Amino acid sequence: MERLSVVVFILAALFGLYTTSSVDVQCEGTQYCPAGNTCCRLASGQWGCCPLPNAVCCSDHQHCCPSGYTCGGGGMCTSSSGVGLIPKRIVSLPARVRSIDDI
């Protein structure tokens, strides 16, 4: 049952069903992520968008984990309570750059 709830959570996050706001998230300057995402710095130095609200950005600058989890070894997200694991960290995607025309 726990595995099913984790799968549902991940699918909902990936399809944008788990958002808390309809306002884009400003990363820095003109870089934005869609509502319900978290800005994470990518290895390139640019901002990336983790498709989860209030996510934890992993130190590899590629992945993120849901709030309440930490980035563990082997691509795992570990619950801070030590009870649950998510088998795969989520990949952060490049942030959008908003131009003057978008405002």
Side-chain angles (χ1 to χ4, degrees):
M1 184 64 168
E2 182 180 338
R3 183 183 294 177
L4 179 60
S5 64
V6 169
V7 169
V8 169
F9 174 78
I10 291 172
L11 289 175
L14 291 175
F15 288 104
L17 302 175
Y18 190 79
T19 60
T20 56
S21 168
S22 62
V23 179
D24 285 346
V25 178
Q26 183 175 7
C27 301
E28 185 177 271
T30 60
Q31 295 185 329
Y32 288 80
C33 289
N37 281 235
T38 301
C39 296
C40 292
R41 190 69 77 174
L42 299 174
S44 66
Q46 297 291 88
W47 286 102
C49 301
C50 173
L52 299 169
N54 304 312
V56 174
C57 302
C58 298
S59 61
D60 67 0
H61 299 285
Q62 280 186 280
H63 298 93
C64 57
C65 290
S67 178
Y69 285 76
T70 57
C71 303
M76 304 288 271
C77 293
T78 308
S79 170
S80 55
S81 66
V83 179
L85 286 176
I86 294 179
K88 201 139 181 122
R89 293 182 291 197
I90 297 161
V91 176
S92 295
L93 304 172
R96 298 184 305 222
V97 175
R98 186 175 284 168
S99 70
I100 297 293
D101 298 333
D102 296 334
I103 299 174

